[in-house]
Amino acid sequence: MPRQLISSGSPFEPEIGFSRAVRSGNRIEVSGTAPIRDGKVAGTDAYEQTKAALEIIIKAVEAAGGKATDIIRTRIFLTDMSLWKDAAKAHGELFGEIRPASSFIGTSALINPEWLVEIEASAQIEA
Protein backbone atom coordinates (compact mmCIF):
# COMPACT_ATOMS: atom_id res chain seq x y z
CA MET A 1 0.00 0.00 0.00
CA PRO A 2 1.39 3.44 -0.89
CA ARG A 3 1.77 6.06 1.79
CA GLN A 4 -1.61 7.64 2.59
CA LEU A 5 -1.94 11.17 3.99
CA ILE A 6 -5.01 12.06 6.07
CA SER A 7 -6.05 15.68 6.52
CA SER A 8 -8.37 17.04 9.18
CA GLY A 9 -8.60 20.46 7.53
CA SER A 10 -6.52 22.14 10.23
CA PRO A 11 -5.19 25.51 9.04
CA PHE A 12 -1.85 24.49 10.56
CA GLU A 13 -1.41 21.54 8.16
CA PRO A 14 -0.26 23.53 5.08
CA GLU A 15 1.48 26.19 7.17
CA ILE A 16 3.60 23.71 9.12
CA GLY A 17 3.69 21.04 6.41
CA PHE A 18 2.15 18.05 8.19
CA SER A 19 -0.76 15.64 7.91
CA ARG A 20 -3.22 14.80 10.69
CA ALA A 21 -2.25 11.19 10.14
CA VAL A 22 -0.06 9.13 7.87
CA ARG A 23 -0.66 5.49 7.00
CA SER A 24 2.28 3.46 5.78
CA GLY A 25 1.52 -0.22 5.35
CA ASN A 26 -0.30 -1.40 8.44
CA ARG A 27 0.90 1.52 10.63
CA ILE A 28 -0.98 4.76 11.26
CA GLU A 29 0.74 7.65 13.01
CA VAL A 30 -1.43 10.53 14.20
CA SER A 31 0.18 13.95 14.67
CA GLY A 32 -0.15 16.05 17.77
CA THR A 33 -3.88 16.72 17.94
CA ALA A 34 -5.33 19.77 19.63
CA PRO A 35 -8.82 20.05 21.13
CA ILE A 36 -10.59 21.83 18.27
CA ARG A 37 -14.30 21.51 17.44
CA ASP A 38 -15.88 23.63 14.72
CA GLY A 39 -12.77 25.82 14.54
CA LYS A 40 -12.83 26.68 18.25
CA VAL A 41 -11.15 25.33 21.38
CA ALA A 42 -13.39 22.56 22.72
CA GLY A 43 -14.11 23.42 26.33
CA THR A 44 -12.09 25.11 29.00
CA ASP A 45 -11.16 22.04 31.06
CA ALA A 46 -8.75 19.18 30.49
CA TYR A 47 -11.53 16.56 30.43
CA GLU A 48 -13.45 18.15 27.53
CA GLN A 49 -10.28 19.03 25.64
CA THR A 50 -8.90 15.50 25.98
CA LYS A 51 -12.19 14.00 24.84
CA ALA A 52 -12.29 16.29 21.79
CA ALA A 53 -8.69 15.55 20.78
CA LEU A 54 -9.22 11.79 21.13
CA GLU A 55 -12.38 11.94 19.01
CA ILE A 56 -10.38 13.71 16.27
CA ILE A 57 -7.68 11.03 16.55
CA ILE A 58 -10.20 8.20 16.24
CA LYS A 59 -11.76 9.89 13.20
CA ALA A 60 -8.30 10.18 11.57
CA VAL A 61 -7.50 6.52 12.26
CA GLU A 62 -10.85 5.53 10.74
CA ALA A 63 -10.17 7.71 7.67
CA ALA A 64 -6.92 5.77 7.24
CA GLY A 65 -8.77 2.45 7.30
CA GLY A 66 -8.36 1.58 10.96
CA LYS A 67 -10.57 1.62 14.02
CA ALA A 68 -10.24 2.74 17.62
CA THR A 69 -9.27 -0.78 18.70
CA ASP A 70 -6.21 -0.55 16.41
CA ILE A 71 -4.73 2.28 18.49
CA ILE A 72 -1.71 0.89 20.35
CA ARG A 73 -0.18 4.06 21.89
CA THR A 74 -1.24 7.50 23.02
CA ARG A 75 0.95 10.37 24.21
CA ILE A 76 -0.86 13.04 26.17
CA PHE A 77 0.91 16.38 26.56
CA LEU A 78 -0.42 18.60 29.37
CA THR A 79 0.48 22.20 30.16
CA ASP A 80 -0.45 21.57 33.81
CA MET A 81 0.28 18.11 35.22
CA SER A 82 -2.14 18.69 38.08
CA LEU A 83 -4.89 18.16 35.46
CA TRP A 84 -3.78 14.62 34.63
CA LYS A 85 -6.76 12.97 36.38
CA ASP A 86 -9.23 14.95 34.23
CA ALA A 87 -7.38 13.93 31.07
CA ALA A 88 -7.12 10.36 32.33
CA LYS A 89 -10.89 10.21 32.93
CA ALA A 90 -11.61 11.13 29.29
CA HIS A 91 -8.93 8.73 28.06
CA GLY A 92 -10.36 5.93 30.20
CA GLU A 93 -13.88 6.51 28.90
CA LEU A 94 -12.75 6.06 25.29
CA PHE A 95 -9.92 3.54 25.78
CA GLY A 96 -10.80 1.66 28.98
CA GLU A 97 -11.35 -1.59 27.08
CA ILE A 98 -8.69 -1.00 24.41
CA ARG A 99 -5.94 -0.05 26.89
CA PRO A 100 -3.18 1.23 24.58
CA ALA A 101 0.26 2.01 25.92
CA SER A 102 0.05 5.60 27.13
CA SER A 103 2.19 8.42 28.48
CA PHE A 104 1.28 11.66 30.24
CA ILE A 105 3.94 14.29 29.57
CA GLY A 106 4.19 17.77 31.04
CA THR A 107 5.08 20.62 28.72
CA SER A 108 5.50 24.33 29.37
CA ALA A 109 3.29 25.48 26.48
CA LEU A 110 1.39 24.50 23.34
CA ILE A 111 0.82 26.57 20.16
CA ASN A 112 -2.41 28.10 21.49
CA PRO A 113 -2.33 29.14 25.18
CA GLU A 114 -5.98 28.02 25.53
CA TRP A 115 -5.00 24.41 24.78
CA LEU A 116 -4.44 22.44 27.96
CA VAL A 117 -3.75 19.21 26.11
CA GLU A 118 -2.39 17.89 22.82
CA ILE A 119 -2.33 14.19 21.97
CA GLU A 120 -0.41 11.94 19.56
CA ALA A 121 -1.36 8.35 18.73
CA SER A 122 -0.08 5.29 16.92
CA ALA A 123 -2.19 2.51 15.47
CA GLN A 124 -1.43 -0.79 13.84
CA ILE A 125 -3.91 -2.53 11.59
CA GLU A 126 -3.90 -6.32 11.69
CA ALA A 127 -2.52 -7.75 8.46
Side-chain angles (χ1 to χ4, degrees), residues 63-99:
K67 52 191 180 296
T69 55
D70 294 322
I71 295 172
I72 59 172
R73 169 171 276 296
T74 58
R75 293 167 200 85
I76 300 166
F77 298 89
L78 293 164
T79 59
D80 180 349
M81 285 303 288
S82 72
L83 303 175
W84 79 269
K85 285 187 179 183
D86 296 327
K89 179 180 176 188
H91 189 276
E93 287 175 6
L94 292 171
F95 290 102
E97 296 294 318
I98 300 166
R99 297 180 58 156

Side-chain angles (χ1 to χ4, degrees), residues 5-104:
L5 305 179
I6 306 300
S7 174
S8 65
S10 166
F12 291 112
E13 289 176 21
E15 180 180 350
I16 296 172
F18 79 98
S19 295
R20 171 63 43 224
V22 176
R23 178 174 176 179
S24 181
N26 67 341
R27 296 280 302 180
I28 303 167
E29 295 292 336
V30 184
S31 296
T33 302
I36 305 296
R37 279 193 189 125
D38 302 320
K40 298 178 183 173
V41 178
T44 58
D45 61 57
Y47 170 81
E48 278 298 320
Q49 290 192 14
T50 300
K51 194 170 173 184
L54 290 172
E55 289 167 355
I56 295 166
I57 286 168
I58 291 169
K59 185 176 178 181
V61 168
E62 290 171 346
K67 52 191 180 296
T69 55
D70 294 322
I71 295 172
I72 59 172
R73 169 171 276 296
T74 58
R75 293 167 200 85
I76 300 166
F77 298 89
L78 293 164
T79 59
D80 180 349
M81 285 303 288
S82 72
L83 303 175
W84 79 269
K85 285 187 179 183
D86 296 327
K89 179 180 176 188
H91 189 276
E93 287 175 6
L94 292 171
F95 290 102
E97 296 294 318
I98 300 166
R99 297 180 58 156
S102 187
S103 301
F104 285 74

